[in-house]
Every structure is written in structure tokens, then in C-alpha cells.
């Protein structure tokens, strides 16, 4: 999708739909990080659309003080609700593609997906601070010694060796820049 197509998609919807879509995006992210942590990730493809329908219908009911939006004007409500879901999905894509990675403080954090989420930041900080000022071999040894403490199931010796060498090489390349 080119930038022009992205901008024209935003122009297609009205201001009310775009503002509601922002709320749907925030609500979807909140649900994803709290109540729906264990839900299959495929659900989050359809969640913005379902929430978009519900939020837009509730908005139209509150604005008109009647049930007309879901009885007589159902097609219009469904169309705008779908647009709300589309815009919410576009907001999320823009956030993921352009903003999310820019705020990562620890460069190891994105590489430690195999560490449970609850311990990921702690592991990234411990490994980064423990390897500062060391040679690449010393970094690999440190990582190999300390990484299993943050895992639910320990890695095999071969996996641990490869992971430690890879992370050490990555950290060394970052320091040389």
C-alpha cells in the first residue's frame, strides 16, 4: 500500500468514524494486553471490526436517542461500523510499522521472543548490563551462563550455544557503531 492510498483511505471516512476508530484501536490494544492475553492471535484480525460495529452502533444510538440506527438504518450503521474497523486496523498498522520499534530502549528486547513475556524485559536488561565492556567471547559466555534462568524450559546445550553466540555478535556489532 502506497502512502497516497493510505491517505485516501483516511479521507474516505468521516471525522466521527476516524475518532471512534482511534478509540477502537486503543480498546483493542488494551484487550490484547489484559483480558485476551491467552486468546488465539487470529481473533485480533476480526476484533477491530466487531468492536467497530458495536462502538459505531452505540454512538449512533446515543446521537439519535433512538434505536433507528439498528432498526431502520441498519445498513448504514453496518457500513460505517465496518469503516470504523477498517480505520482502526489502519491506525494499528501505522503504529506497528512506523512508531512501535522507535521506543524500544533495550536492543535485546525484540530478540528475546522465546523468553516468557513476564520475564523478557528483566532478562534483556540483565543480559545487556552484564555484557557491557566485555569481549564477544566473554559476552557469549555470560549469556550462556545466565539465559536459562529466564526460560520456562531450559534450552539444549547446542541451542544455548548458538543463541549466546548470536546475541553476543549482535551486541558487539551495536557497540562498534
Amino acid at each position: 500500500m502506497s502512502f497516497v492510498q493510505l491517505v485516501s483511505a483516511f479521507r474516505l471516512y468521516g471525522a466521527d468514524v476516524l475518532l471512534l476508530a482511534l478509540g477502537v484501536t486503543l480498546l483493542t490494544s488494551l484487550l490484547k494486553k489484559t483480558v485476551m492475553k491467552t486468546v488465539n492471535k487470529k481473533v485480533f484480525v476480526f476484533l477491530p471490526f466487531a468492536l467497530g460495529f458495536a462502538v459505531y452502533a452505540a454512538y449512533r444510538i446515543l446521537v439519535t436517542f433512538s434505536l433507528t440506527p439498528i432498526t431502520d438504518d441498519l445498513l448504514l450503521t453496518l457500513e460505517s461500523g465496518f469503516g470504523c474497523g477498517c480505520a482502526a486496523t489502519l491506525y494499528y498498522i501505522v503504529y506497528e510499522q512506523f512508531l512501535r520499534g522507535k521506543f524500544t530502549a533495550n536492543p535485546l528486547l525484540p530478540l528475546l521472543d522465546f523468553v516468557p513475556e513476564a520475564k523478557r524485559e528483566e532478562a534483556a536488561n540483565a543480559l545487556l548490563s552484564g555484557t557491557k565492556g566485555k569481549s564477544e567471547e566473554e559476552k557469549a559466555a555470560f549469556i550462556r551462563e545466565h539465559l536459562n534462568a529466564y526460560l520456562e524450559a531450559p534450552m539444549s546445550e547446542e541451542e544455548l550455544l548458538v543463541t549466546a553466540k548470536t546475541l553476543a555478535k549482535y551486541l558487539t556489532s551495536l557497540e562498534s557503531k
Side-chain angles (χ1 to χ4, degrees):
M1 176 179 269
S2 73
F3 182 73
V4 173
Q5 289 171 322
L6 185 67
V7 170
S8 68
F10 282 120
R11 193 178 53 104
L12 177 67
Y13 307 115
D16 57 345
V17 171
L18 293 177
L19 286 174
L20 290 172
L22 185 61
V24 167
T25 302
L26 296 174
L27 183 60
T28 303
S29 294
L30 180 68
L31 288 173
K32 186 177 183 180
K33 292 179 182 178
T34 58
V35 179
M36 302 179 94
K37 264 186 177 178
T38 59
V39 174
N40 188 342
K41 301 298 180 203
K42 293 177 184 178
V43 169
F44 295 109
V45 172
F46 301 103
L47 188 63
F49 294 100
L51 288 175
F53 289 130
V55 167
Y56 190 79
Y59 164 73
R60 291 296 301 155
I61 288 169
L62 290 173
V63 167
T64 61
F65 293 114
S66 71
L67 294 178
T68 305
I70 58 172
T71 56
D72 296 340
D73 297 334
L74 182 61
L75 190 59
L76 179 64
T77 302
L78 289 175
E79 180 183 347
S80 295
F82 182 76
C84 188
C86 288
T89 303
L90 285 173
Y91 285 150
Y92 186 73
I93 289 170
V94 167
Y95 165 73
E96 284 289 321
Q97 293 297 317
F98 300 114
L99 301 175
R100 184 174 181 203
K102 302 211 187 285
F103 301 112
T104 303
N106 192 321
L108 281 179
L109 205 53
L111 300 177
L112 296 178
D113 280 348
F114 54 90
V115 175
E117 192 173 341
K119 295 182 178 181
R120 193 173 299 149
E121 193 165 340
E122 178 188 347
N125 290 334
L127 294 177
L128 185 65
S129 65
T131 57
K132 282 205 188 293
K134 294 184 177 181
S135 69
E136 189 174 322
E137 294 80 23
E138 292 171 327
K139 287 177 185 177
F142 180 85
I143 293 169
R144 205 170 90 231
E145 289 174 22
H146 294 89
L147 186 59
N148 269 335
Y150 299 101
L151 302 176
E152 287 178 352
M155 288 183 173
S156 69
E157 193 57 38
E158 295 84 23
E159 290 174 323
L160 193 58
L161 182 64
V162 169
T163 303
K165 283 185 177 183
T166 303
L167 292 175
K169 185 82 163 166
Y170 174 69
L171 289 173
T172 301
S173 71
L174 286 178
E175 288 176 0
S176 65
K177 289 183 179 181

